[in-house]
Amino acid sequence: MAGNKMDFSPDSYLAKLYQNNQPELQFDAENRAGWKKWRQKLKAKIADLIGGPLEKTQITELVVIEKREFETYSRVKIAYQVKDYLKIPAYLLIPDRDQDKYPAVIIAHGHGNGNRETLGLNGAGEKLEEATCHNNLALDFVEAGYIVLVPELIGFGERRLKEDYQEDPALKEDPTANSCYRINSQLMLYGQSILRLRLWDIISALKVLENREDVIREQISCLGFSGGAPVAILASLFSEGIKAAVISGYTSYYQDSIMDRRHCLDNYLPGILNTAELPTIISSIAPKPLLIQAAENDHLFPVDSAQKAYREIEKVYKFLNVEDRIRMDIIENAEHSVSAAAAIKFLNNLDEIR
C-alpha cells in the first residue's frame, strides 16, 4: 500500500538469536574435578573450531637478519623455520645488563604495520614520528629488564600475501594494510582459521625463547593487544610454557564488540558462541596469573563491557581460590591502546602471587 513504511531489517532476528543462545560450555563446575573436566572440554572444542590441535612445534633453522646495539639493549631481527609450517620473522630485544638470565615476554601485536609498531618503527623500519596505539610497548619491556620477542603474525607486514606485500612493501600508502580477510576467508573453506596459524606463531616464539640459555623458563609471559589478544588467550590456554598472560584492548562480550560493529574477519570464529562467550573463554586461562587491561575511552572494546567481563572471569579465579592472581587495569583518558606500565608491574610481582 502506497505510503506504508515497513521494516525489513534483520536486527530483531539477530537480537533474538543472541538472547536465545545457550552456550554449551558455560562455567558451572561445583568442585575442582568438575572444573578440570569443563576446562578440558572447552580446550578440545576450541581446538576443533580453530581447525584442529597443533602438533609438537620444532624450530629447524634460525638465522640473524640484522643486529643493532643501543645504549641499554640490543635489537636483533631474526627469522626461524617451523617444521611443517612457515618461516617467521621476529624482533628480539635483549637488555644490556650484568646478569646471566632474564624474564621474557612474547608480544602478540594488533592491527597496524606488524611487529615493528611495538618497537616504535614504521613499515620501512624507520623511527615513527609519534607512537601509535601500541605505544612502543616492546621498548618499555626491554628497558624494564625483559627479553622481548615479537613475532610478525601471519597476515601483517612482511607476512602479507605476496600480492598485497608487493603493492606496498613499506606500508607507505596504508600503514594498517593487511591480508587478514583474504587469508582467513580461504582457511574457513577448509574448516580452519587464521587464529590457528597465529597460535602456531606464538607457540613457535615460545619454543625460540625456551631454547635460549639467557631466558628464565619459569618467567615467560605473553601479552596480546587488540587483534593479538585472542591469540595470546589461546596460547595461554594451550601452552604450559606460558606462565602468565596480559590481555589488553580486547576483553568484552562478543555482543558488545565484534558483533556491534564491523571488525576484521580475523576476530570471527564460526560456531564459537554455541560453545562459550568471550569471558568464559578467557576464564579458562585460570589458574595462571592474568592481567586484564582496558582503555577508558575504547570505542572498539567498551570499558563497561570489559569490566562486566572481568567480574565473570574473576568468579573462576575465586572458585579456584586464586583470586590474588587476577587484576584489572584501566588506562585513564585513553582510546583503544595498550600501556606497558601496569603489565610490567604485574609481571614483576608474580613471585608474590603464585
Side-chain angles (χ1 to χ4, degrees), residues 131-328:
T132 67
C133 59
H134 284 84
N135 282 316
N136 302 348
L137 181 66
L139 300 183
D140 286 344
F141 267 100
V142 73
E143 292 288 357
Y146 284 76
I147 286 180
V148 186
L149 186 58
V150 196
E152 185 121 88
L153 299 181
I154 189 168
F156 295 108
E158 294 180 289
R159 297 189 71 201
R160 287 171 287 164
L161 292 170
K162 188 173 293 185
E163 179 184 344
D164 295 335
Y165 178 80
Q166 290 174 344
E167 283 181 2
D168 188 8
L171 295 162
K172 290 182 179 180
E173 297 297 322
D174 181 2
T176 66
N178 59 68
S179 299
C180 301
Y181 182 91
R182 293 181 64 194
I183 293 173
N184 204 28
S185 58
Q186 290 185 48
L187 289 170
M188 289 167 68
L189 296 177
Y190 299 100
Q192 296 191 33
S193 75
I194 200 168
L195 273 177
R196 183 177 186 270
L197 299 189
R198 289 180 179 170
L199 174 59
W200 212 340
D201 293 341
I202 299 301
I203 299 300
S204 303
L206 173 64
K207 183 62 65 176
V208 170
L209 289 177
E210 288 179 334
N211 289 340
R212 291 184 63 89
E213 294 183 356
D214 56 357
V215 167
I216 304 172
R217 277 194 169 204
E218 295 74 25
Q219 295 183 37
I220 301 177
S221 305
C222 184
L223 182 151
F225 168 60
S226 191
V231 197
I233 293 165
L234 295 184
S236 301
L237 173 60
F238 283 98
S239 176
E240 293 303 315
I242 292 173
K243 306 302 183 183
V246 178
I247 306 303
S248 180
Y250 200 81
T251 300
S252 60
Y253 287 80
Y254 287 128
Q255 183 187 35
D256 303 325
S257 53
I258 66 170
M259 292 172 66
D260 187 59
R261 61 184 65 239
R262 185 189 295 269
H263 276 260
C264 182
L265 190 65
D266 62 1
N267 287 289
Y268 301 88
L269 192 59
I272 189 62
L273 270 176
N274 294 330
T275 299
E277 246 285 7
L278 183 55
T280 305
I281 297 169
I282 297 174
S283 72
S284 65
I285 293 174
K288 291 181 179 180
L290 171 64
L291 175 68
I292 299 294
Q293 187 177 76
E296 187 176 24
N297 301 320
D298 194 331
H299 67 291
L300 297 175
F301 299 91
V303 69
D304 290 346
S305 185
Q307 291 171 320
K308 182 182 176 183
Y310 176 80
R311 290 191 290 271
E312 182 175 336
I313 298 163
E314 188 181 33
K315 289 178 183 177
V316 177
Y317 278 78
K318 289 181 176 179
F319 174 84
L320 296 171
N321 294 317
V322 291
E323 58 265 38
D324 57 334
R325 298 184 185 181
I326 184 169
R327 297 281 189 278
M328 186 170 195

Side-chain angles (χ1 to χ4, degrees), residues 111-132:
H111 288 74
N113 67 32
N115 57 2
R116 300 163 195 76
E117 205 164 295
T118 68
L119 283 74
L121 303 175
N122 64 19
E126 304 159 339
K127 188 175 181 180
L128 285 166
E129 292 184 6
E130 66 177 284
T132 67

